[in-house]
């Protein structure tokens, strides 16, 4: 682990445990910490802890504003979430809070866990009524962002609610879609008739599945490692690990989960690292909370049967311009029924890249990437064993 990684860990634990942290090392800049915190949506966690140290006066107003913005947004989100749960319960709209809106209340304080939006699962038959509730509260449907899995509603200045029809997107992985389609393991929230919760084991599996999805598609950031650390610190004595392991196997993400748990312990609990985990941490640190568009090639590229000696920039370029049908089917779903149109799909993709300038981030990456980096990224995804279908 680098000095930056070590200091980031100290900031995280200081904030979680309400402790002071040592001053920022000379070879790490405040700008470095700000950049990491913004990319990973950890302004309160990292910058809040940094404000308790001795830093140059010029940085204090900037850090305070970023932390204040984070706290203000959290307060608005928490109040809105409670109100939506109250209204949905009153109107008999079956609902369940997902993702960060659950994790916020696992942390010692909600503001420690930032989130971009409020995610709620609503039964298909209740979607229209739930949408009406949001519209009455000043939200508007973002039609250009409406996808099969969920509808996105926005209210200025920055309130966002995603109404989910399902817990998992079947276009990402059929096995996990089928697993999460079964809602029988949910439990009613205490005192409620229509508002549901995950069990402790189910949420942990869901958290790992959501993380694995992002990792496979574009990568994901280090805040996920803090989520794992916080959740295990709070519930490790209460959770049934046999259930969790069995369900991670059912979802096909046991190997991924074990690697992420190990990396979380290395980073935040001081366990001994290795070259692989050092590379994995750096990859996640640079990916940011939602990953990077250019990273979406590594998952499928790693599944190709290519020897280490054969992997080079020329091969990556060829793979990028003529990817296998398993990669193309995710973007052109009609190929599943008409695989013989793969050439046409390549041509459409190439046209978009050359004329519409889509995929420029991938082209730039491939142009500048070294053979060593290709080996590192390919090995990371090989070891994760994410065989999504």
């Amino acid at each position: 682990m680098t000095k930056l990684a070590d200091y980031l860990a100290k900031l995280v634990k200081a904030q979680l445990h309400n402790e002071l942290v040592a001053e920022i090392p000379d070879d790490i800049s405040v700008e470095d910490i700000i950049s990491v915190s913004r990319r990973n949506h950890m302004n309160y966690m990292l910058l809040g802890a940094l404000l308790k140290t001795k830093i140059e006066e010029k940085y204090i107003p900037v850090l305070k504003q970023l932390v204040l913005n984070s706290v203000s947004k959290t307060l608005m989100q928490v109040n809105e979430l409670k109100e939506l749960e109250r209204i949905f319960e009153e109107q008999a709209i079956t609902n369940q809070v997902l993702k960060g809106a659950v994790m916020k209340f696992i942390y010692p304080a909600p503001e420690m866990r930032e989130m971009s939006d409020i995610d709620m699962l609503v039964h298909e038959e209740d979607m229209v009524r739930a949408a009406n509730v949001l519209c009455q509260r000043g939200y508007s449907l973002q039609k250009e962002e409406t996808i099969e899995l969920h509808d996105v509603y926005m209210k200025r200045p920055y309130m966002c609610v995603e109404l989910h029809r399902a817990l998992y997107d079947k276009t990402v992985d059929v096995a996990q879609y089928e697993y999460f389609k079964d809602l029988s393991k949910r439990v009613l929230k205490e005192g409620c008739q229509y508002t549901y919760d995950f069990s402790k084991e189910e949420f942990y599996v869901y958290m790992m599945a959501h993380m694995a999805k992002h990792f496979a598609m574009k990568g994901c950031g280090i805040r996920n490692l803090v989520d794992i650390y916080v959740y295990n610190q709070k519930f490790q004595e209460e959770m049934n690990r046999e259930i969790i392991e069995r369900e991670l196997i059912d979802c096909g993400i046991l190997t991924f989960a074990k690697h992420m748990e190990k990396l979380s312990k290395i980073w935040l609990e001081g366990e001994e690292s290795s070259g692989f985990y050092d590379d994995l941490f750096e990859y996640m640190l640079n990916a940011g909370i939602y990953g990077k568009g250019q990273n979406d090639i590594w998952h499928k590229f790693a599944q190709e049967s290519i020897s280490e000696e054969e992997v080079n920039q020329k091969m990556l370029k060829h793979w990028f311009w003529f990817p296998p049908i398993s990669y193309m089917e995710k973007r052109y779903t009609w190929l599943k029924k008409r695989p013989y149109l793969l050439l046409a799909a390549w041509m459409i993709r190439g046209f978009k890249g050359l004329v519409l300038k889509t995929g420029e981030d991938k082209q730039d990456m491939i142009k500048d990437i070294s053979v060593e980096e290709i080996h590192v990224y390919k090995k990371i995804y090989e070891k994760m064993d994410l065989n999504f279908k």
Side-chain angles (χ1 to χ4, degrees):
M1 287 279 172
T2 63
K3 279 190 176 181
L4 176 60
D6 291 340
Y7 192 66
L8 290 172
K10 291 175 181 176
L11 290 172
V12 168
K13 289 189 287 186
Q15 197 73 321
L16 286 173
H17 304 302
N18 194 27
E19 299 170 351
L20 296 178
V21 68
E23 292 180 30
I24 188 168
D26 291 337
D27 49 355
I28 297 175
S29 69
V30 174
E31 286 86 354
D32 291 336
I33 306 298
I34 292 175
S35 177
V36 170
S37 67
R38 282 181 150 171
R39 285 201 311 272
N40 290 276
H41 292 196
M42 297 173 68
N43 283 346
Y44 183 91
M45 179 68 72
L46 298 176
L47 304 184
L50 192 60
L51 274 169
K52 299 172 186 175
T53 67
K54 291 182 180 179
I55 56 174
E56 291 183 62
E57 192 71 26
K58 66 179 181 179
Y59 293 115
I60 294 177
V62 177
L63 299 188
K64 282 186 175 180
Q65 190 59 55
L66 288 170
V67 171
L68 180 61
N69 290 345
S70 177
V71 172
S72 298
K73 187 173 183 179
T74 285
L75 289 174
M76 289 182 64
Q77 289 172 329
V78 168
N79 289 335
E80 185 71 1
L81 174 59
K82 291 179 179 178
E83 188 64 8
L84 287 174
E85 282 189 317
R86 183 189 67 79
I87 295 171
F88 285 176
E89 184 70 21
E90 284 182 355
Q91 297 190 15
I93 297 173
T94 303
N95 69 96
Q96 182 177 358
V97 175
L98 309 175
K99 303 180 188 176
V102 176
M103 277 305 304
K104 263 190 177 296
F105 300 97
I106 307 299
Y107 278 68
E111 57 268 24
M112 291 184 182
R113 188 11 171 108
E114 296 181 30
M115 65 181 186
S116 300
D117 43 51
I118 297 171
D119 294 274
M120 302 184 80
L121 175 69
V122 174
H123 287 186
E124 184 66 42
E125 61 269 22
D126 290 329
M127 284 291 284
V128 172
R129 290 195 299 136
N132 288 337
V133 170
L134 291 176
C135 290
Q136 290 167 8
R137 295 184 61 76
Y139 289 85
S140 59
L141 176 64
Q142 306 300 293
K143 292 186 182 297
E144 69 276 8
E145 294 186 37
T146 302
I147 61 176
E148 184 178 353
L149 181 64
H150 63 258
D151 293 341
V152 181
Y153 290 83
M154 297 291 299
K155 180 170 67 172
R156 293 184 179 180
Y158 44 61
M159 288 300 301
C160 177
V161 174
E162 292 186 359
L163 293 184
H164 290 248
R165 296 178 174 84
L167 286 174
Y168 201 90
D169 189 341
K170 63 182 175 183
T171 64
V172 176
D173 182 49
V174 174
Q176 291 180 82
Y177 170 76
E178 291 295 330
Y179 174 85
F180 287 109
K181 190 169 66 173
D182 179 10
L183 301 177
S184 63
K185 299 187 181 86
R186 299 185 305 170
V187 293
L188 277 170
K189 194 171 183 178
E190 188 175 353
C192 298
Q193 292 181 285
Y194 303 97
T195 303
Y196 284 82
D197 271 337
F198 289 98
S199 69
K200 291 180 177 64
E201 292 82 4
E202 284 300 306
F203 182 76
Y204 192 70
V205 174
Y206 178 71
M207 178 176 72
M208 284 296 189
H210 185 68
M211 182 182 178
K213 179 186 80 169
H214 278 286
F215 191 90
M217 294 174 70
K218 294 183 180 181
C220 60
I222 60 172
R223 191 186 67 188
N224 294 276
L225 301 174
V226 184
D227 285 349
I228 294 170
Y229 172 79
V230 169
Y231 202 87
N232 278 311
Q233 286 282 304
K234 188 162 186 176
F235 296 126
Q236 61 184 344
E237 299 300 325
E238 302 174 42
M239 291 191 295
N240 186 321
R241 297 300 302 194
E242 289 184 4
I243 291 176
I244 289 173
E245 184 159 326
R246 184 169 65 245
E247 295 183 353
L248 289 171
I249 291 172
D250 290 343
C251 290
I253 57 172
L254 177 63
T255 300
F256 172 86
K258 286 185 176 295
H259 280 309
M260 290 302 166
E261 289 171 341
K262 177 68 174 177
L263 183 58
S264 177
K265 290 180 179 179
I266 289 170
W267 181 40
L268 296 169
E269 296 183 30
E271 288 195 2
E272 186 175 349
S273 189
S274 66
F276 166 71
Y277 287 109
D278 289 347
D279 289 339
L280 177 57
F281 183 85
E282 285 301 309
Y283 177 71
M284 294 177 66
L285 181 67
N286 294 324
I289 193 66
Y290 298 123
K292 294 180 179 180
Q294 64 261 41
N295 288 341
D296 81 339
I297 69 173
W298 298 118
H299 176 216
K300 290 299 181 183
F301 183 71
Q303 292 177 335
E304 294 293 294
S305 299
I306 307 169
S307 69
E308 288 295 307
E309 292 75 22
E310 292 177 310
V311 174
N312 54 46
Q313 193 181 55
K314 183 178 179 180
M315 177 167 284
L316 182 62
K317 285 182 178 179
H318 182 272
W319 193 96
F320 171 70
W321 286 110
F322 304 102
I325 195 166
S326 60
Y327 177 91
M328 296 294 289
E329 282 178 346
K330 295 294 184 181
R331 287 138 189 88
Y332 303 94
T333 54
W334 40 268
L335 279 174
K336 292 180 179 180
K337 292 184 178 180
R338 301 176 180 85
Y340 52 85
L341 293 178
L342 177 60
L343 177 59
W346 281 341
M347 293 174 67
I348 294 170
R349 184 171 177 270
F351 173 82
K352 289 181 178 180
L354 294 172
V355 179
L356 303 180
K357 305 299 182 183
T358 60
E360 285 188 323
D361 53 349
K362 298 183 186 70
Q363 295 176 48
D364 290 341
M365 177 190 70
I366 290 172
K367 180 174 65 177
D368 298 328
I369 197 168
S370 68
V371 174
E372 183 181 1
E373 288 175 306
I374 297 173
H375 279 238
V376 167
Y377 299 151
K378 185 174 185 292
K379 180 155 287 187
I380 284 174
Y381 277 88
E382 285 174 343
K383 283 183 171 287
M384 291 301 159
D385 195 28
L386 295 173
N387 297 309
F388 293 175
K389 295 177 182 178

